[in-house]
Amino acid sequence: MRKKIISGNWKMNLNLAQATELAEGIKKGIQNKKSDAQLLVFPSTLHLQKVNEILTGTGVDVGCQNIYPSGLAAFTGETSTDQLKDLKIRYALIGHSERRQFMGETDEFLNRKITFCLKESFIPVFCIGETLGERESGKTFDVIKRQVVEGLRNITNDDAKKIIIAYEPVWAIGTGKVATPEQAEEAHAYVRSELKSLFGSEVSEIIPILYGGSVKPDNVKSLLEKPNIDGGLVGGASQKTDSYLALIP
Ligand code: 13P
């Protein structure tokens, strides 16, 4: 049985006071929650230290929204896994559609990041998903397949077991247009079948596949009920204490 994972991507949205308040709110709120779900938040890199300090020992893991695939070196503006290790951070979002779209991150570059994360014992949360145009022109499965095959190229079966995938259809991100549970399940089942072709049945059944795109407290349950939806990667609704807590099954 795969555990449910509720993760919050805070993107570039909060200032330090707001991020601190949110982390404190989550810390307090989860004391009253009895849940088996794994909880994970991705604050801005600048706020990692503070948020991590607050959430250490609470069972909520903290991850970075991006890494550069190198140890300490001359890469201006980037963040190394070596720096994150100082904070005992072990999770990294890789290939969010905003980075693919606005920072030009390619499948090949994301494969380098994933490979590097695994070498450094980080858990990559690898984001994939089609745009509206791709969906409307019937290319959804081709795009997902390419992203999975290229992004996970040369990953061993043992390493593949450590990866988390997040399917986030770009047209559903921040738009309020959530994929229906059936649309999401169809894509997740397809991702799992691709994982099976790459890594075999046993490994494909271990890898969690999260759904992202306008997940809210009022739609999360119907999504999580689907057999291949193992959790959520949530933007907007994860950035307020009460709505984040309300997402936890
Ligand atoms: P929203 O939940 O705001 O649609 O964002 C989803 C997302 O991009 C999470 O990574």
Side-chain angles (χ1 to χ4, degrees), residues 2 8 19 24 34 42 49 158 171 197 217:
R2 295 178 297 270
E24 297 280 10
K34 289 219 169 3
F42 293 91
Q49 185 160 8
D158 264 357
W171 49 271
S197 311

Side-chain angles (χ1 to χ4, degrees), residues 9 11 96 168 172-174 213-215 233-236:
N9 177 5
K11 308 195 179 186
H96 191 280
E168 301 201 304
I173 295 179
S214 297
V215 177
L233 177 56
V234 187

Side-chain angles (χ1 to χ4, degrees), residues 75-86:
F75 291 103
T76 302
E78 296 294 324
T79 306
S80 167
T81 46
D82 281 345
Q83 295 165 322
L84 297 167
K85 282 180 196 167
D86 287 342

Side-chain angles (χ1 to χ4, degrees), residues 133-151:
E134 289 163 344
R135 176 161 284 261
E136 287 178 347
S137 54
K139 296 202 190 106
T140 298
F141 293 143
D142 291 347
V143 170
I144 295 176
K145 179 175 179 149
R146 190 204 74 227
Q147 291 173 335
V148 170
V149 170
E150 299 297 326

Side-chain angles (χ1 to χ4, degrees), residues 27-183:
K27 178 180 177 173
K28 197 159 163 242
I30 54 161
Q31 288 168 1
N32 310 318
K33 284 257 170 198
K34 289 219 169 3
S35 172
D36 290 337
Q38 182 187 349
L39 306 179
L40 190 52
V41 294
F42 293 91
S44 138
T45 309
L46 195 58
H47 301 153
L48 281 174
Q49 185 160 8
K50 180 71 185 171
V51 170
N52 199 42
E53 238 170 63
I54 297 168
L55 293 176
T56 294
T58 62
V60 183
D61 284 307
V62 177
C64 191
Q65 293 177 16
N66 180 38
I67 57 114
Y68 192 83
S70 164
L72 301 177
F75 291 103
T76 302
E78 296 294 324
T79 306
S80 167
T81 46
D82 281 345
Q83 295 165 322
L84 297 167
K85 282 180 196 167
D86 287 342
L87 307 182
K88 304 205 163 34
I89 281 174
R90 291 288 176 204
Y91 288 85
L93 274 188
I94 302 293
H96 191 280
S97 66
E98 286 147 18
R99 295 204 61 85
R100 291 180 188 259
Q101 201 178 340
F102 305 123
M103 279 48 148
E105 295 195 351
T106 61
D107 293 321
E108 184 274 330
F109 186 45
L110 298 175
N111 176 248
R112 275 176 56 204
K113 289 191 182 194
I114 292 171
T115 306
F116 191 80
C117 275
L118 293 163
K119 181 170 89 60
E120 296 297 303
S121 304
F122 273 61
I123 298 175
V125 179
F126 175 41
C127 305
I128 57 172
E130 81 288 358
T131 62
L132 183 60
E134 289 163 344
R135 176 161 284 261
E136 287 178 347
S137 54
K139 296 202 190 106
T140 298
F141 293 143
D142 291 347
V143 170
I144 295 176
K145 179 175 179 149
R146 190 204 74 227
Q147 291 173 335
V148 170
V149 170
E150 299 297 326
L152 302 182
R153 189 173 289 283
N154 294 328
I155 302 294
T156 64
N157 280 21
D158 264 357
D159 274 346
K161 290 180 193 164
K162 299 167 196 155
I163 294 170
I164 298 173
I165 306 251
Y167 168 66
E168 301 201 304
V170 180
W171 49 271
I173 295 179
T175 58
K177 261 203 230 166
V178 64
T180 64
E182 291 68 33
Q183 280 174 320

